Amino acid sequence: MSRLRKFISISVGLALSVGLVGAVIYRSDIIDQFRVWQYQPSSEIASLADRASMSDSGKYYFYIAHPKLEAADEFNQECRRAEPASALLGCYKSGTETIHIYDVDDSSLDGVEEVTAVHEMLHVAYARLSQSEREELSPLLESAYAKVEDDKLAERMDYYERDQPGSRENELHSILATEYADIGDELEDYYKKYFIDRNKVVELYNSYNQQFEYNESQADQLATKLEAQRAQIDAAVGQYESDMASLNQDIESFNQRAKSGEFTSQSEFASQRTALQSRSDQLSATRVSLMSQIDAYNSDVETLNALGREIERLNNSLDSMKAVE
């Protein structure tokens, strides 16, 4: 009897121990599930998830963090930037398990909130990967990053290294999924758990990002063109002024000779006078041409300034700090 009792006691003890270990292992999953159950997404938040083509699993990770779409004042309180010049569109605060998304009030930037929502959702998902899963994922992320060969992405990764040391893989995990179509088959298969169709979110990103790329490309091309035009105009103006000075000097000499009676015949006088008139006519035509070139140059300068203003407007629309200035 005592042995039996002892056996029962030990069995119960083991059962309790196994239960406690299971509770420790699955505690985070249980908490996550409770957070999802406790959260009721607004119609705006649900729309972001649907339009970004999040799968049920993607929505699960998104809703774990109780995402909020916030105006500038509230967003700036929640998401602090390390570098004032680098605007933030969203943040995932792991301490409070919350996602904050800046409510961009610019219809021309349609899609930016959806892309931000997915970016932050993937941070939530990455935080729940095991160390072995991260180690397996790392070479796939690095391979896709090397394939992209994007200078702007390299600049962003430098920013993350300064602002959030050690966040490289975490950021690549979010950026590659939302902004690049060709990331390799293995990485594509990995992301399928989070999306119904990942191409949808990449298309949304491209739809608004192309505005920046087009304007910046046009501005760069126009700036290069203007630099060459300015050099040509400066050289032409310099030549015109030199030729005009020479002509004026020759006209003054001609007038002085005529006044002094130095011409030996009327035909000599008329011949030199005709030559000076021809030079004057040519310089007048050159002046008209120069004025036309200068007008075209000034028009291009205004176009460049307009592109600059549009780029600034778009950037300001994404900058929550500018909204409260």
Side-chain angles (χ1 to χ4, degrees), residues 121-272:
M121 174 273 285
L122 288 169
H123 282 320
V124 178
Y126 189 85
R128 283 152 177 79
L129 295 177
S130 67
Q131 185 59 36
S132 62
E133 288 172 324
R134 293 182 186 184
E135 290 174 357
E136 183 178 350
L137 188 59
S138 179
L140 301 182
L141 294 171
E142 291 297 340
S143 176
Y145 173 70
K147 186 177 182 180
V148 165
E149 293 185 343
D150 187 335
D151 291 339
K152 290 186 177 180
L153 178 55
E155 290 177 9
R156 286 172 68 185
M157 298 315 297
D158 288 343
Y159 164 78
Y160 286 122
E161 187 60 35
R162 295 192 304 272
D163 181 40
Q164 303 168 33
S167 66
R168 178 182 177 85
E169 306 299 327
N170 193 353
E171 292 300 336
L172 284 176
H173 180 257
S174 288
I175 294 169
L176 293 171
T178 54
E179 301 178 20
Y180 296 93
D182 187 7
I183 56 175
D185 292 341
E186 288 185 86
L187 198 54
E188 194 69 69
D189 287 341
Y190 162 78
Y191 281 123
K192 284 180 180 178
K193 71 180 78 171
Y194 305 116
F195 299 97
I196 297 171
D197 182 357
R198 191 182 68 85
N199 286 329
K200 297 294 184 183
V201 74
V202 176
E203 288 171 3
L204 288 171
Y205 171 76
N206 287 333
S207 70
Y208 69 82
N209 187 60
Q210 283 173 355
Q211 295 185 65
F212 289 94
E213 292 188 345
Y214 175 79
N215 287 326
E216 289 170 1
S217 175
Q218 290 294 105
D220 288 342
Q221 291 178 26
L222 195 50
T224 300
K225 175 186 174 183
L226 284 169
E227 186 176 358
Q229 282 182 325
R230 180 61 182 265
Q232 292 173 355
I233 290 172
D234 286 346
V237 167
Q239 185 62 54
Y240 170 82
E241 291 176 343
S242 175
D243 291 344
M244 182 58 73
S246 177
L247 175 63
N248 288 334
Q249 185 176 6
D250 290 346
I251 289 174
E252 184 179 353
S253 175
F254 172 83
N255 289 336
Q256 185 62 40
R257 290 175 63 200
K259 187 176 181 180
S260 302
E262 296 180 15
F263 290 104
T264 59
S265 67
Q266 186 63 32
S267 62
E268 181 186 8
F269 170 85
S271 175
Q272 292 194 22

